[in-house]
Amino acid sequence: SCFLSNIEDITIYCCNTNSTVHPENEEWTCFEQSASLDIKSFFGFESTVEKIAMKQYASSIKKGKEIIEYYLRELEEEGLTCVPRWSPCPPSPTKPVVPLVIPALPITPTISIEAPPESVNEIQGCKEDKLDADYIKRYLGDLTPLQESCLIRLRHWLQETHKGKIPKDEHILRFLRARDFNIDKAREILCQSLTWRKQHQVDYLLDTWSSPQVLHDYYTGGWHHHDKDGRPLYILRLGHMDTKGLVRALGEESLLRHVLSINEEGLRRCEENTKVFVRPISCWTCLVDLEGLNMRHLWRPGVKALLRIIEVVEANYPETLGRLLILRAPRVFPVLWTLVSPFIDENTRKKFLIYAGNDYQGPGGLVDYIDKEIIPDFLGGECMCEVPEGGLVPKSLYRTAEELENDEIRLWTETIYQSASIFKGAPHELLIEIIDASSVITWDFDVCKGDVIFNIYHSKRAPQPPRKDPLATHGITSPAGNNVQLIDKSWLLGQDYSMVESPLTCKEGESVQGSHVTRWPGFYILQWKFHSMPACATTNLPRVDDVLATLQVSSHKCKVMYYTEVLGSEDFRGSMTSLESSHSGFSQLSAATTSSSQSQSSSMISR
């Protein structure tokens, strides 16, 4: 803020907040907020600063929503379900009108309600199902009874909905700590991260990713022993790195994948140090040397790549950074910090220690966190550091924009999963042709956004080619670029095609695996359809989410990530007994297929 106060070309207009009666329901209140920002000059980063401002503004709106919801819950707990509409009182003919003075509400800090229990019985169950005290002390660290209860409850929820792929307690605990042990918030970001890891095969990154030689030669970062707390130490000589050369030679996606491999390696080293030091070590220390940092490092595509990397790491590796030591910060550092800091979580920013010049060499400096004998030689220590010194990447290694684009497409399409968008009235459908009866169709999909209904249909005749979006005929680009519809509207269910499985409703964040043993040859259509939410129960005091859902048309969109495979009956490994024994009680599809012997089909559902 001190740096921004010296810039006279930034003009911020005040925010406006209005409340109006909802046009369709006079019992509801709409809250509207608007603001404007005019940036005339900021070192060529005007658009980036605008995005930063919008992100901060969106964060403020979210916090306002939480405050409104908090006071609505307070009213409900007091038994107040209806607030009469305010109307001015007519003035008394004999008494003077006394103005109504409303006392100002006290300004409260950020409201954080730590994982309220769904019921008393659930809390009592958690108390009975405690973790072993030695296990907590050895691998997890200090936990209060409430924190231990939150970990157990979230782990149980994952066991019920994500069978076969439960992350370790240390991994779950990081997401809980990142959201102050609010289970709902931690569950949301954890499910998003698990979907992201599956889509990009991050669990196998250390085994499959091979860094290009240019990274070995010019990426000025590497692991170097550990700090005084036993945390793995990563050193990054950012001031010596040719960010422009690396982006031009590798592309943004390769740099991102390299950074992800560093984070995965950090998690592995934390597990190793936990065994070596016989105490829980769940995060690492990063030392960033900024000697040599100048305006050349503020190259726009390089800053853009850095911001994206920070965003991905913040979302999927929370609470993995124990401390960040920034050494020899030059005068240009405030400009970079102004651009980067809004994208870093507030809890993470608290772990930053910044030293200018040689301040790190005195008391309270580097020796307080790193043993003197392992301080790198380029920082005045005696330990040889194997981190590359960097330098300019030769222009002969630069690649054309077309080469970089093709390489980036290859990197992120190596995954076996495909993604699709589902809209209200526009399901996504996948055609599978079966030649031999008794083949096995298997599927594995994650519901990334919204709720969907999964159906399987059979038809003796092939559907027509996918219908083109009617918007395209008018020169308008349809938002459903990866949405395919095969079943013609003129087809009649039971005549042109038939349903071979009972519909399955899948909630957001769920993972579903299943199989179907085909009875007839022909064409099978897997369909994901938008699930319309039932009408909300009418109450005199509506919830904020109900009002917002009415106003947001964009909520009528779902997204799934799926993989399918067809196996011959002789190649299918797994008996019907094993399929029946592994179905989930949450699945009506599984219950229907395993109880019906006439359909000769079976399903295996795991969420």
Side-chain angles (χ1 to χ4, degrees):
S1 59
C2 178
F3 178 73
L4 286 175
S5 64
N6 294 327
I7 300 177
E8 299 178 355
D9 290 336
I10 295 184
T11 304
I12 302 178
Y13 298 96
C14 297
C15 296
N16 296 321
T17 304
N18 299 316
S19 58
T20 58
V21 178
H22 193 277
E24 298 180 2
N25 189 337
E26 62 181 11
E27 300 296 331
W28 290 5
T29 302
C30 297
F31 296 92
E32 298 179 0
Q33 190 174 25
S34 63
S36 59
L37 173 67
D38 182 20
I39 301 175
K40 298 179 180 178
S41 176
F42 194 82
F43 305 100
F45 291 96
E46 292 80 10
S47 61
T48 302
V49 175
E50 287 180 1
K51 293 179 182 178
I52 294 174
M54 289 304 299
K55 183 174 182 179
Q56 295 297 319
Y57 178 60
S59 177
S60 299
I61 292 178
K62 183 178 180 181
K63 185 58 62 178
K65 176 186 172 183
E66 292 180 357
I67 294 175
I68 293 173
E69 289 180 332
Y70 172 80
Y71 284 108
L72 287 177
R73 287 194 296 267
E74 288 286 313
L75 292 175
E76 290 179 350
E77 292 177 359
E78 294 175 2
L80 185 61
T81 59
C82 178
V83 178
R85 182 182 300 176
W86 178 85
S87 59
C89 298
S92 174
T94 56
K95 296 182 181 180
V97 178
V98 179
L100 179 63
V101 179
I102 302 177
L105 292 174
I107 299 177
T108 57
T110 300
I111 299 172
S112 176
I113 303 176
E114 292 190 347
E118 283 75 3
S119 65
V120 176
N121 293 333
E122 185 171 356
I123 280 291
Q124 291 175 349
C126 292
K127 288 182 179 179
E128 295 173 358
D129 187 12
K130 283 190 174 183
L131 297 174
D132 183 75
D134 292 337
Y135 168 75
I136 294 177
K137 182 178 179 181
R138 178 71 175 79
Y139 295 101
L140 304 181
D142 296 330
L143 293 177
T144 66
L146 178 59
Q147 293 171 347
E148 179 185 345
S149 171
C150 291
L151 174 59
I152 294 173
R153 290 163 60 193
L154 184 52
R155 185 179 63 184
H156 284 175
W157 182 86
L158 288 171
Q159 289 172 343
E160 294 175 351
T161 59
H162 289 71
K163 290 185 177 180
K165 47 183 178 181
I166 304 300
K168 297 180 179 179
D169 286 344
E170 297 92 319
H171 191 85
I172 300 174
L173 199 56
R174 289 189 181 98
F175 286 85
L176 283 169
R177 285 170 173 158
R179 291 299 180 265
D180 297 325
F181 286 87
N182 185 307
I183 287 186
D184 292 335
K185 293 181 179 180
R187 178 170 52 193
E188 179 182 359
I189 61 174
L190 177 57
C191 288
Q192 293 174 357
S193 179
L194 291 176
T195 300
W196 171 83
R197 294 182 68 89
K198 182 176 181 179
Q199 181 178 8
H200 300 298
Q201 302 291 289
V202 179
D203 290 335
Y204 310 102
L205 189 60
L206 292 180
D207 299 326
T208 59
W209 170 247
S210 179
S211 300
Q213 188 60 40
V214 66
L215 282 174
H216 291 285
D217 297 336
Y218 297 99
Y219 189 86
T220 55
W223 295 100
H224 180 76
H225 300 283
H226 55 79
D227 67 3
K228 287 188 175 182
D229 296 322
R231 298 167 175 168
L233 176 63
Y234 189 83
I235 295 179
L236 180 65
R237 304 184 69 178
L238 186 59
H240 286 219
M241 186 181 297
D242 181 11
T243 53
K244 180 177 181 179
L246 289 175
V247 173
R248 293 290 299 274
L250 296 170
E252 183 179 318
E253 301 300 335
S254 291
L255 280 177
L256 173 59
R257 188 165 280 207
H258 181 64
V259 173
L260 296 181
S261 69
I262 293 173
N263 282 270
E264 290 296 308
E265 174 68 15
L267 294 176
R268 187 183 65 81
R269 288 175 177 261
C270 286
E271 293 182 0
E272 293 176 352
N273 285 17
T274 296
K275 299 176 182 178
V276 172
F277 293 97
V278 199
R279 65 173 184 271
I281 296 174
S282 59
C283 52
W284 57 80
T285 295
C286 185
L287 186 154
V288 180
D289 180 23
L290 296 183
E291 182 191 39
L293 187 75
N294 52 46
M295 293 298 293
R296 175 174 58 87
H297 291 86
L298 298 182
W299 181 57
R300 293 187 190 182
V303 174
K304 174 177 171 289
L306 176 61
L307 295 179
R308 181 172 176 229
I309 289 172
I310 291 175
E311 189 174 11
V312 173
V313 171
E314 281 285 308
N316 298 284
Y317 298 93
E319 295 298 317
T320 54
L321 180 66
R323 184 180 295 114
L324 180 66
L325 303 170
I326 299 178
L327 276 55
R328 301 196 277 195
R331 296 182 61 182
V332 74
F333 174 71
V335 179
L336 180 62
W337 179 250
T338 301
L339 297 172
V340 170
S341 59
F343 293 86
I344 303 175
D345 184 76
E346 182 180 355
N347 291 334
T348 304
R349 290 201 299 267
K350 294 177 182 178
K351 303 171 184 178
F352 284 35
L353 296 173
I354 304 174
Y355 299 90
N358 295 323
D359 293 345
Y360 69 92
Q361 295 179 347
L366 202 56
V367 292
D368 287 1
Y369 307 102
I370 301 176
D371 291 328
K372 185 177 180 181
E373 55 270 17
I374 66 170
I375 293 179
D377 51 349
F378 61 85
L379 293 176
E382 300 178 355
C383 186
M384 295 297 295
C385 184
E386 297 181 357
V387 174
E389 294 185 1
L392 295 177
V393 177
K395 292 186 177 181
S396 60
L397 298 178
Y398 285 11
R399 305 176 67 186
T400 64
E402 183 178 358
E403 290 175 336
L404 291 175
E405 182 179 0
N406 292 335
D407 190 53
E408 290 175 358
I409 293 175
R410 178 188 61 80
L411 282 175
W412 294 118
T413 54
E414 289 176 348
T415 173
I416 60 177
Y417 292 89
Q418 302 181 57
S419 61
S421 297
I422 300 114
F423 299 87
K424 193 171 184 179
H428 177 73
E429 295 166 344
L430 177 68
L431 180 65
I432 298 177
E433 183 178 4
I434 297 297
I435 305 298
D436 300 324
S438 300
S439 297
V440 181
I441 302 175
T442 66
W443 59 83
D444 179 358
F445 66 87
D446 290 337
V447 185
C448 306
K449 179 181 179 181
D451 300 341
V452 301
I453 298 177
F454 179 62
N455 288 299
I456 305 179
Y457 299 103
H458 172 264
S459 174
K460 294 181 180 179
R461 58 171 174 161
Q464 295 297 320
R467 301 195 304 269
K468 293 184 178 180
D469 195 295
L471 295 177
T473 60
H474 301 284
I476 304 175
T477 302
S478 169
N482 56 352
N483 177 272
V484 177
Q485 300 173 55
L486 299 168
I487 300 178
D488 194 271
K489 291 183 178 180
S490 63
W491 281 22
L492 297 177
L493 183 63
Q495 178 177 333
D496 299 289
Y497 67 109
S498 59
M499 182 182 295
V500 297
E501 293 278 9
S502 300
L504 174 64
T505 301
C506 308
K507 300 293 185 180
E508 179 175 339
E510 291 183 345
S511 179
V512 181
Q513 297 84 38
S515 60
H516 173 81
V517 181
T518 62
R519 185 177 180 181
W520 312 280
F523 300 92
Y524 287 80
I525 300 173
L526 307 187
Q527 181 194 76
W528 291 268
K529 183 171 63 174
F530 180 87
H531 176 51
S532 299
M533 298 299 294
C536 301
T538 56
T539 58
N540 293 329
L541 188 63
R543 299 182 63 85
V544 174
D545 284 340
D546 299 336
V547 180
L548 294 177
T550 305
L551 299 176
Q552 293 178 349
V553 181
S554 61
S555 62
H556 294 164
K557 175 182 177 181
C558 302
K559 185 176 181 181
V560 296
M561 183 183 67
Y562 65 91
Y563 167 72
T564 62
E565 185 178 5
V566 178
L567 304 175
S569 57
E570 68 278 1
D571 298 328
F572 186 64
R573 300 295 182 261
S575 63
M576 295 302 165
T577 304
S578 65
L579 287 173
E580 293 177 0
S581 63
S582 61
H583 76 270
S584 168
F586 290 94
S587 169
Q588 57 181 356
L589 172 60
S590 178
T593 55
T594 54
S595 62
S596 175
S597 59
Q598 295 180 352
S599 65
Q600 297 184 11
S601 63
S602 59
S603 296
M604 176 175 59
I605 305 298
S606 173
R607 296 188 186 170

